Amino acid sequence: MSAEQKITGETRLAGVMGWPVEHSRSPLMHNYWCRLYGVNGAYVPLPTSPEGFVTALKGLKAAGFCGVNVTIPYKEAALAECDYVTDAARRAGAVNTVVFTPKGLVGDCTDGSGFCENLLAHGVVPHGRVLILGAGGAARAVAAALLDRGCEVLIANRTLARAEALVEALHGGEAIAWHDWPTLLSGCSLLVNATALGMKGASPDWSALLREAGPGLAVADIVYTPRETPLLQAAAAKGLKTVDGLGMLIHQAGVGFEAWFGVKPVVDEAVFALLADSLR
């Protein structure tokens, strides 16, 4: 591993766009990989206000960046701005990874595959009926990936119309009214929180909402700051299997790193330990 990271005129640049973005551990992870593999590259946080997103995205390409990750709340907006998108991005209706090429912006969505790889790494094989909370960009990616793996997907969102629109777009799944989802847990194998609930601010009474959960239910949260979210704390207190969002972050990141910096990183205990330590 290189002892230090030097920025030069030849340094390849990438970053993460979001609002907020200060919670992101992507810079820590990607810069660690740059040092580990001796890559002359750097990855920076890019806090981008909603009114400036499109200008910033195109400006970064013009400024010579190799590409960016896109996080909340821009995953769907990024899809509309890309010149080319992968099948995964088109299926999910969202983009989380953008590669800047001479021909334009190429958008990909690695959230769904990263989520499923993280489940498997925790010994959870997605199957049967799955309940997803949320209908935003990450929820779309997760739902698409689970549908493609043969799961029966229920989607609950505070605005039912958004859940219905997602079901229609995916040509699969079932939209559920928000107030109904706790009553359906007994028939589910997996509950996925794909909202920002628990990331900051007030959190619902998850213990009460999980009252109908069966002993075989696994509970996953895409949020990783905090790593042990209030939902995961409540699930663990009931003796349920929990899967935090840190592994999803790591597993989904490799595709972008390889595209921007030319090296496929290995997902190992060292990078988990690095990011876990930063969350303590």
Side-chain angles (χ1 to χ4, degrees):
M1 183 188 296
S2 175
E4 59 181 291
Q5 195 171 7
K6 295 181 179 179
I7 307 298
T8 71
E10 297 179 344
T11 301
R12 298 176 67 82
L13 299 173
V16 55
M17 303 178 72
W19 191 259
V21 78
E22 65 267 16
H23 67 281
S24 177
R25 294 310 192 269
S26 291
L28 178 64
M29 173 174 51
H30 284 280
N31 288 319
Y32 163 77
W33 280 335
C34 282
R35 294 191 301 272
L36 178 66
Y37 297 110
V39 172
N40 184 5
Y43 184 104
V44 296
L46 299 164
T48 310
S49 63
E51 61 272 14
F53 172 71
V54 174
T55 300
L57 180 65
K58 296 180 179 180
L60 289 167
K61 181 181 186 301
F65 272 61
C66 299
V68 292
N69 282 129
V70 180
T71 188
I72 295 171
Y74 300 130
K75 294 183 180 184
E76 293 171 70
L79 178 73
E81 297 304 323
C82 287
D83 302 293
Y84 309 94
V85 296
T86 64
D87 289 340
R90 187 175 295 107
R91 177 93 167 104
V95 158
N96 77 328
T97 303
V98 183
V99 179
F100 299 152
T101 75
K103 293 184 178 181
L105 278 61
V106 179
D108 194 6
C109 185
T110 61
D111 280 335
S113 59
F115 175 81
C116 290
E117 288 173 22
N118 188 37
L119 286 181
L120 295 173
H122 281 79
V124 176
V125 178
H127 69 282
R129 178 177 283 190
V130 175
L131 175 58
I132 298 174
L133 306 181
R140 293 170 74 97
V142 169
L146 292 172
L147 284 168
D148 290 346
R149 285 160 175 77
C151 295
E152 178 187 353
V153 175
L154 308 179
I155 301 171
N157 193 66
R158 289 189 182 278
T159 304
L160 180 59
R162 289 204 71 190
E164 292 172 336
L166 177 51
V167 166
E168 182 177 357
L170 293 174
H171 304 291
E174 180 181 353
I176 301 297
W178 183 260
H179 57 78
D180 287 340
W181 72 259
T183 66
L184 303 173
L185 288 179
S186 62
C188 294
S189 64
L190 176 66
L191 170 66
V192 183
N193 177 33
T195 74
L197 287 173
M199 196 167 161
K200 60 167 55 176
S203 184
D205 184 353
W206 291 112
S207 295
L209 294 172
L210 294 175
R211 189 174 294 116
E212 300 298 322
L217 180 73
V219 179
D221 203 323
I222 67 166
V223 170
Y224 62 88
T225 51
R227 187 173 183 185
E228 188 177 356
T229 64
L231 168 60
L232 297 185
Q233 291 176 7
K238 288 181 63 68
L240 303 177
K241 178 77 173 181
T242 63
V243 180
D244 66 67
L246 185 60
M248 176 181 172
L249 170 71
I250 297 171
H251 283 287
Q252 62 81 29
V255 173
F257 188 87
E258 183 176 11
W260 304 320
F261 301 121
V263 177
K264 184 176 182 178
V266 175
V267 176
D268 58 16
E269 288 302 319
V271 69
F272 269 93
L274 174 73
L275 297 190
D277 185 63
S278 77
L279 296 172
R280 292 193 178 96

Coordinates of all heavy atoms in Angstrom, one line a residue, residues 187-264:
G187 N -46.2 -13.1 7.2 CA -46.0 -13.9 6.0 C -44.8 -13.6 5.2 O -44.6 -14.1 4.1
C188 N -43.9 -12.8 5.7 CA -42.7 -12.3 5.0 C -41.4 -13.0 5.5 O -41.3 -13.3 6.7 CB -42.6 -10.8 5.1 SG -43.9 -9.9 4.3
S189 N -40.5 -13.2 4.6 CA -39.2 -13.7 5.0 C -38.1 -12.6 5.2 O -37.1 -12.8 5.8 CB -38.7 -14.6 3.9 OG -38.4 -13.9 2.6
L190 N -38.5 -11.4 4.6 CA -37.5 -10.3 4.6 C -38.2 -9.0 4.7 O -39.2 -8.8 3.9 CB -36.6 -10.4 3.4 CG -35.5 -9.2 3.2 CD1 -34.5 -9.3 4.4 CD2 -34.9 -9.4 1.9
L191 N -37.8 -8.1 5.5 CA -38.2 -6.7 5.6 C -37.0 -5.8 5.2 O -36.0 -5.9 5.8 CB -38.8 -6.3 7.0 CG -39.1 -4.8 7.2 CD1 -40.2 -4.3 6.3 CD2 -39.3 -4.6 8.7
V192 N -37.2 -4.9 4.3 CA -36.2 -4.0 3.8 C -36.6 -2.6 4.0 O -37.6 -2.1 3.5 CB -35.8 -4.2 2.3 CG1 -34.7 -3.3 1.9 CG2 -35.5 -5.7 2.0
N193 N -35.8 -1.8 4.8 CA -36.0 -0.4 4.9 C -35.2 0.3 3.9 O -34.0 0.4 4.0 CB -35.7 0.1 6.3 CG -35.8 1.7 6.4 OD1 -36.7 2.2 5.8 ND2 -35.0 2.3 7.2
A194 N -35.8 0.8 2.8 CA -35.2 1.5 1.8 C -35.5 3.0 1.8 O -35.6 3.7 0.8 CB -35.5 0.9 0.4
T195 N -35.8 3.5 3.0 CA -36.1 4.9 3.2 C -35.0 5.5 4.0 O -34.1 4.8 4.5 CB -37.4 5.2 3.9 OG1 -37.2 4.8 5.3 CG2 -38.5 4.3 3.4
A196 N -35.0 6.8 4.2 CA -34.0 7.5 5.1 C -34.4 7.5 6.6 O -33.7 8.1 7.4 CB -33.8 8.9 4.6
L197 N -35.5 6.8 6.9 CA -35.9 6.7 8.3 C -34.8 6.1 9.1 O -34.3 5.0 8.8 CB -37.2 5.9 8.4 CG -38.5 6.6 7.9 CD1 -39.6 5.5 8.0 CD2 -38.9 7.8 8.8
G198 N -34.5 6.8 10.2 CA -33.4 6.2 11.1 C -32.1 6.8 10.8 O -31.1 6.7 11.6
M199 N -32.0 7.6 9.7 CA -30.7 8.2 9.3 C -30.4 9.4 10.2 O -29.3 9.6 10.7 CB -30.7 8.6 7.9 CG -29.4 8.9 7.3 SD -29.6 8.9 5.5 CE -28.1 9.8 5.1
K200 N -31.4 10.2 10.4 CA -31.3 11.3 11.3 C -32.8 11.8 11.7 O -33.7 11.5 11.0 CB -30.6 12.5 10.7 CG -31.2 13.0 9.4 CD -30.6 14.4 9.0 CE -29.1 14.3 8.9 NZ -28.6 15.6 8.4
G201 N -32.9 12.5 12.8 CA -34.2 13.0 13.2 C -35.0 11.9 13.8 O -34.6 10.9 14.3
A202 N -36.3 12.2 13.9 CA -37.3 11.3 14.6 C -37.4 10.0 13.9 O -37.3 9.9 12.7 CB -38.6 12.0 14.7
S203 N -37.6 8.9 14.7 CA -37.8 7.6 14.2 C -39.1 7.0 14.7 O -39.4 7.3 15.9 CB -36.6 6.7 14.6 OG -36.7 5.4 14.0
P204 N -39.8 6.2 13.9 CA -41.0 5.6 14.4 C -40.7 4.6 15.5 O -39.6 4.2 15.8 CB -41.6 5.0 13.2 CG -40.4 4.7 12.3 CD -39.5 5.8 12.5
D205 N -41.8 4.1 16.1 CA -41.7 3.1 17.2 C -41.6 1.7 16.5 O -42.6 1.1 16.3 CB -42.9 3.1 18.1 CG -42.8 2.2 19.3 OD1 -41.8 1.3 19.3 OD2 -43.7 2.2 20.1
W206 N -40.4 1.4 16.1 CA -40.2 0.2 15.3 C -40.6 -1.1 16.1 O -41.0 -2.1 15.5 CB -38.7 0.0 14.9 CG -38.2 1.0 13.9 CD1 -37.4 2.1 14.1 CD2 -38.7 1.1 12.5 NE1 -37.2 2.8 12.9 CE2 -38.0 2.2 12.0 CE3 -39.5 0.4 11.7 CZ2 -38.1 2.6 10.6 CZ3 -39.7 0.7 10.4 CH2 -39.0 1.8 9.9
S207 N -40.4 -1.1 17.4 CA -40.8 -2.3 18.2 C -42.2 -2.6 18.1 O -42.6 -3.7 17.9 CB -40.4 -2.0 19.7 OG -39.0 -1.9 19.9
A208 N -43.1 -1.5 18.1 CA -44.5 -1.7 17.9 C -44.8 -2.1 16.5 O -45.6 -3.0 16.3 CB -45.2 -0.4 18.3
L209 N -44.1 -1.6 15.5 CA -44.4 -1.9 14.1 C -44.0 -3.3 13.8 O -44.5 -4.0 12.9 CB -43.6 -0.9 13.2 CG -44.1 0.5 13.3 CD1 -43.2 1.4 12.5 CD2 -45.6 0.6 12.8
L210 N -43.0 -3.9 14.6 CA -42.5 -5.3 14.3 C -43.3 -6.3 15.1 O -42.9 -7.5 15.1 CB -41.0 -5.4 14.6 CG -40.1 -4.6 13.7 CD1 -38.7 -4.7 14.3 CD2 -40.2 -5.1 12.3
R211 N -44.4 -5.9 15.8 CA -45.1 -6.8 16.7 C -45.5 -8.1 16.0 O -45.5 -9.2 16.6 CB -46.3 -6.1 17.3 CG -47.0 -6.8 18.4 CD -48.1 -6.0 19.0 NE -47.5 -4.8 19.7 CZ -47.8 -3.6 19.4 NH1 -48.6 -3.3 18.4 NH2 -47.3 -2.6 20.1
E212 N -45.9 -8.0 14.7 CA -46.4 -9.2 14.0 C -45.4 -10.0 13.3 O -45.7 -11.0 12.6 CB -47.5 -8.7 13.0 CG -48.7 -8.0 13.5 CD -49.5 -8.9 14.5 OE1 -49.6 -10.1 14.2 OE2 -50.0 -8.3 15.5
A213 N -44.1 -9.6 13.5 CA -43.0 -10.3 12.8 C -42.9 -11.8 13.3 O -42.9 -12.0 14.5 CB -41.7 -9.6 13.0
G214 N -42.7 -12.7 12.3 CA -42.5 -14.1 12.7 C -41.0 -14.3 13.0 O -40.1 -13.5 12.6
P215 N -40.7 -15.4 13.7 CA -39.3 -15.6 14.1 C -38.3 -15.8 12.9 O -37.1 -15.6 13.1 CB -39.4 -16.9 14.9 CG -40.6 -17.6 14.4 CD -41.6 -16.5 14.1
G216 N -38.8 -16.2 11.7 CA -37.9 -16.4 10.6 C -37.7 -15.1 9.8 O -37.0 -15.2 8.7
L217 N -38.2 -14.0 10.2 CA -38.1 -12.8 9.4 C -36.6 -12.2 9.6 O -36.1 -12.1 10.7 CB -39.0 -11.7 9.9 CG -39.0 -10.3 9.2 CD1 -39.6 -10.5 7.8 CD2 -39.7 -9.3 10.0
A218 N -36.0 -11.9 8.4 CA -34.8 -11.1 8.4 C -35.1 -9.7 8.2 O -36.0 -9.4 7.4 CB -33.8 -11.7 7.4
V219 N -34.3 -8.8 8.8 CA -34.6 -7.3 8.6 C -33.3 -6.7 8.1 O -32.2 -6.8 8.7 CB -35.0 -6.7 10.0 CG1 -35.3 -5.2 9.8 CG2 -36.3 -7.4 10.5
A220 N -33.4 -6.0 7.0 CA -32.3 -5.3 6.4 C -32.6 -3.8 6.3 O -33.7 -3.4 6.1 CB -32.0 -5.9 5.0
D221 N -31.5 -3.0 6.5 CA -31.7 -1.5 6.3 C -30.6 -1.1 5.4 O -29.4 -1.5 5.5 CB -31.5 -0.9 7.7 CG -32.1 0.5 7.8 OD1 -32.0 1.2 6.8 OD2 -32.7 0.8 8.9
I222 N -30.9 -0.2 4.4 CA -29.9 0.3 3.5 C -29.1 1.4 4.1 O -28.1 1.8 3.6 CB -30.5 0.8 2.2 CG1 -31.4 2.0 2.4 CG2 -31.3 -0.4 1.5 CD1 -31.8 2.7 1.1
V223 N -29.6 2.0 5.2 CA -28.9 3.0 5.9 C -27.7 2.4 6.7 O -27.8 1.3 7.2 CB -29.9 3.7 6.9 CG1 -29.1 4.7 7.9 CG2 -30.9 4.5 6.2
Y224 N -26.6 3.1 6.6 CA -25.4 2.6 7.4 C -24.8 3.7 8.3 O -23.8 3.4 8.9 CB -24.3 2.1 6.4 CG -23.8 3.2 5.5 CD1 -22.7 3.9 5.9 CD2 -24.3 3.4 4.2 CE1 -22.2 4.9 5.0 CE2 -23.8 4.3 3.4 CZ -22.7 5.1 3.8 OH -22.2 6.0 2.9
T225 N -25.4 4.8 8.4 CA -25.0 5.8 9.4 C -26.3 6.3 10.1 O -27.0 7.1 9.6 CB -24.3 7.0 8.7 OG1 -25.2 7.6 7.6 CG2 -23.0 6.7 8.2
P226 N -26.6 5.8 11.3 CA -25.7 4.9 12.1 C -25.8 3.4 11.5 O -26.8 3.1 10.8 CB -26.3 4.9 13.5 CG -27.8 5.2 13.2 CD -27.8 6.1 12.0
R227 N -24.8 2.7 11.8 CA -24.7 1.3 11.3 C -25.8 0.4 11.9 O -26.5 -0.3 11.2 CB -23.4 0.6 11.6 CG -23.2 -0.7 10.9 CD -21.8 -1.3 11.0 NE -21.7 -2.5 10.3 CZ -20.6 -3.3 10.3 NH1 -19.5 -2.9 11.0 NH2 -20.6 -4.4 9.6
E228 N -26.0 0.6 13.2 CA -27.1 -0.1 13.9 C -28.3 0.9 14.0 O -28.3 1.6 15.0 CB -26.7 -0.6 15.2 CG -27.7 -1.5 15.9 CD -27.3 -2.1 17.2 OE1 -26.1 -1.9 17.6 OE2 -28.1 -2.8 17.9
T229 N -29.2 0.9 13.1 CA -30.3 1.9 13.0 C -31.3 1.5 14.1 O -31.3 0.4 14.6 CB -30.9 1.9 11.6 OG1 -31.5 0.6 11.4 CG2 -29.9 2.2 10.5
P230 N -32.2 2.4 14.4 CA -33.3 2.1 15.4 C -34.1 0.9 14.9 O -34.5 0.0 15.8 CB -34.1 3.3 15.4 CG -33.1 4.4 15.1 CD -32.2 3.8 14.1
L231 N -34.3 0.7 13.6 CA -35.0 -0.5 13.1 C -34.2 -1.7 13.4 O -34.8 -2.7 13.9 CB -35.3 -0.4 11.6 CG -35.7 -1.7 10.9 CD1 -37.1 -2.2 11.5 CD2 -35.8 -1.4 9.4
L232 N -33.0 -1.8 13.1 CA -32.2 -3.0 13.4 C -32.0 -3.3 14.9 O -32.0 -4.4 15.3 CB -30.8 -2.8 12.8 CG -30.7 -2.7 11.2 CD1 -29.3 -2.7 10.7 CD2 -31.5 -3.8 10.6
Q233 N -32.0 -2.2 15.7 CA -31.9 -2.4 17.2 C -33.2 -3.1 17.6 O -33.2 -4.0 18.4 CB -31.8 -1.1 17.9 CG -30.4 -0.4 17.7 CD -30.3 0.9 18.3 OE1 -31.2 1.4 19.0 NE2 -29.2 1.6 18.1
A234 N -34.4 -2.6 17.1 CA -35.7 -3.2 17.5 C -35.8 -4.6 17.0 O -36.3 -5.5 17.7 CB -36.8 -2.4 16.9
A235 N -35.3 -4.9 15.8 CA -35.3 -6.3 15.3 C -34.4 -7.2 16.1 O -34.8 -8.3 16.4 CB -34.9 -6.3 13.8
A236 N -33.2 -6.8 16.4 CA -32.3 -7.6 17.2 C -32.9 -7.9 18.6 O -32.7 -9.0 19.1 CB -31.0 -6.9 17.3
A237 N -33.6 -6.9 19.2 CA -34.2 -7.1 20.5 C -35.3 -8.2 20.4 O -35.6 -8.8 21.4 CB -34.8 -5.8 21.0
K238 N -35.9 -8.4 19.2 CA -36.9 -9.5 19.1 C -36.2 -10.8 18.7 O -36.9 -11.8 18.4 CB -37.9 -9.1 18.0 CG -38.8 -8.0 18.5 CD -39.9 -7.6 17.4 CE -40.8 -8.8 17.0 NZ -41.7 -9.1 18.2
G239 N -34.9 -10.8 18.5 CA -34.2 -12.0 18.2 C -34.2 -12.3 16.7 O -33.9 -13.4 16.3
L240 N -34.5 -11.3 15.9 CA -34.5 -11.4 14.4 C -33.1 -11.3 13.8 O -32.3 -10.5 14.3 CB -35.5 -10.4 13.8 CG -36.9 -10.5 14.3 CD1 -37.8 -9.4 13.7 CD2 -37.6 -11.8 14.1
K241 N -32.9 -11.9 12.7 CA -31.7 -11.7 11.9 C -31.7 -10.3 11.3 O -32.7 -9.9 10.8 CB -31.6 -12.8 10.8 CG -30.4 -12.7 9.9 CD -29.2 -13.3 10.5 CE -28.0 -13.3 9.6 NZ -26.8 -13.9 10.2
T242 N -30.5 -9.6 11.4 CA -30.4 -8.3 10.9 C -29.3 -8.2 9.9 O -28.3 -8.8 10.1 CB -30.2 -7.2 12.0 OG1 -29.0 -7.5 12.7 CG2 -31.4 -7.3 13.0
V243 N -29.5 -7.3 9.0 CA -28.4 -7.0 8.0 C -28.3 -5.5 7.8 O -29.2 -4.8 7.4 CB -28.8 -7.6 6.6 CG1 -27.7 -7.3 5.6 CG2 -29.0 -9.1 6.7
D244 N -27.1 -5.0 8.2 CA -27.0 -3.5 8.1 C -26.6 -3.1 6.7 O -26.2 -4.0 5.8 CB -26.0 -3.0 9.1 CG -24.6 -3.5 8.9 OD1 -24.0 -3.1 7.9 OD2 -24.0 -4.3 9.7
G245 N -26.5 -1.8 6.4 CA -26.3 -1.3 5.1 C -24.9 -1.2 4.7 O -24.6 -0.8 3.5
L246 N -23.9 -1.4 5.6 CA -22.5 -1.2 5.3 C -22.0 -2.1 4.1 O -21.3 -1.7 3.2 CB -21.6 -1.3 6.5 CG -20.2 -1.0 6.3 CD1 -20.0 0.5 5.9 CD2 -19.4 -1.3 7.6
G247 N -22.4 -3.4 4.2 CA -22.0 -4.3 3.2 C -22.5 -4.0 1.8 O -21.9 -4.1 0.8
M248 N -23.8 -3.4 1.8 CA -24.3 -3.0 0.5 C -23.5 -1.9 -0.1 O -23.2 -1.9 -1.3 CB -25.8 -2.5 0.7 CG -26.4 -1.9 -0.6 SD -28.1 -1.4 -0.2 CE -28.5 -0.5 -1.8
L249 N -23.1 -0.9 0.7 CA -22.2 0.2 0.3 C -20.9 -0.4 -0.4 O -20.5 0.0 -1.4 CB -21.9 1.1 1.4 CG -20.8 2.1 1.1 CD1 -21.3 3.2 0.2 CD2 -20.3 2.7 2.4
I250 N -20.3 -1.3 0.3 CA -19.0 -1.9 -0.2 C -19.2 -2.7 -1.4 O -18.5 -2.5 -2.4 CB -18.4 -2.7 1.0 CG1 -18.0 -1.8 2.2 CG2 -17.1 -3.4 0.4 CD1 -17.6 -2.6 3.4
H251 N -20.2 -3.6 -1.4 CA -20.4 -4.5 -2.6 C -20.8 -3.7 -3.9 O -20.4 -4.1 -5.0 CB -21.4 -5.5 -2.3 CG -20.9 -6.6 -1.4 ND1 -20.0 -7.6 -1.9 CD2 -21.1 -6.9 -0.1 CE1 -19.7 -8.4 -0.9 NE2 -20.4 -8.1 0.2
Q252 N -21.5 -2.6 -3.7 CA -22.0 -1.9 -4.9 C -20.9 -1.0 -5.4 O -20.9 -0.5 -6.5 CB -23.2 -1.0 -4.6 CG -23.1 0.0 -3.5 CD -22.5 1.3 -4.0 OE1 -22.6 1.7 -5.2 NE2 -21.8 2.0 -3.2
A253 N -19.8 -0.7 -4.6 CA -18.8 0.3 -5.0 C -17.8 -0.2 -6.0 O -17.2 0.6 -6.7 CB -18.1 0.8 -3.7
G254 N -17.6 -1.5 -6.1 CA -16.5 -2.0 -6.9 C -16.6 -1.7 -8.4 O -15.6 -1.5 -9.0
V255 N -17.8 -1.7 -8.9 CA -18.0 -1.5 -10.3 C -17.5 -0.1 -10.7 O -16.8 0.1 -11.7 CB -19.5 -1.7 -10.7 CG1 -19.7 -1.3 -12.1 CG2 -19.9 -3.1 -10.5
G256 N -17.9 0.9 -9.9 CA -17.5 2.3 -10.2 C -16.0 2.4 -10.1 O -15.4 3.1 -10.9
F257 N -15.4 1.9 -9.0 CA -14.0 2.0 -8.8 C -13.2 1.4 -10.0 O -12.3 2.1 -10.5 CB -13.6 1.3 -7.5 CG -12.1 1.5 -7.1 CD1 -11.8 2.6 -6.4 CD2 -11.1 0.7 -7.6 CE1 -10.5 2.9 -6.0 CE2 -9.8 0.9 -7.3 CZ -9.5 2.0 -6.5
E258 N -13.6 0.3 -10.5 CA -12.9 -0.3 -11.6 C -13.1 0.5 -12.9 O -12.1 0.7 -13.6 CB -13.5 -1.7 -11.9 CG -12.8 -2.5 -13.0 CD -13.3 -3.9 -13.2 OE1 -14.3 -4.3 -12.6 OE2 -12.6 -4.6 -13.9
A259 N -14.3 1.1 -13.1 CA -14.5 1.9 -14.3 C -13.7 3.2 -14.2 O -13.1 3.7 -15.3 CB -16.0 2.2 -14.4
W260 N -13.6 3.8 -13.1 CA -12.9 5.1 -12.9 C -11.4 5.0 -12.8 O -10.6 5.7 -13.4 CB -13.4 5.9 -11.7 CG -14.8 6.1 -11.7 CD1 -15.6 6.4 -12.7 CD2 -15.7 6.0 -10.5 NE1 -16.9 6.6 -12.3 CE2 -17.0 6.3 -11.0 CE3 -15.5 5.7 -9.2 CZ2 -18.1 6.3 -10.1 CZ3 -16.5 5.7 -8.3 CH2 -17.8 6.1 -8.8
F261 N -10.9 3.9 -12.1 CA -9.5 3.8 -11.7 C -8.8 2.6 -12.3 O -7.6 2.5 -12.2 CB -9.4 3.8 -10.2 CG -9.9 5.0 -9.6 CD1 -10.9 4.9 -8.6 CD2 -9.5 6.3 -9.9 CE1 -11.5 6.0 -8.0 CE2 -10.0 7.4 -9.2 CZ -11.0 7.3 -8.3
G262 N -9.5 1.7 -13.0 CA -8.9 0.6 -13.8 C -8.5 -0.6 -13.0 O -7.8 -1.4 -13.5
V263 N -9.0 -0.7 -11.7 CA -8.6 -1.8 -10.9 C -9.9 -2.3 -10.2 O -10.7 -1.6 -9.7 CB -7.6 -1.4 -9.7 CG1 -7.3 -2.6 -8.8 CG2 -6.3 -0.9 -10.3
K264 N -10.1 -3.7 -10.2 CA -11.2 -4.3 -9.5 C -10.9 -4.5 -8.1 O -10.0 -5.4 -7.8 CB -11.7 -5.6 -10.2 CG -12.9 -6.2 -9.6 CD -13.4 -7.4 -10.4 CE -14.6 -8.0 -9.8 NZ -15.1 -9.2 -10.6

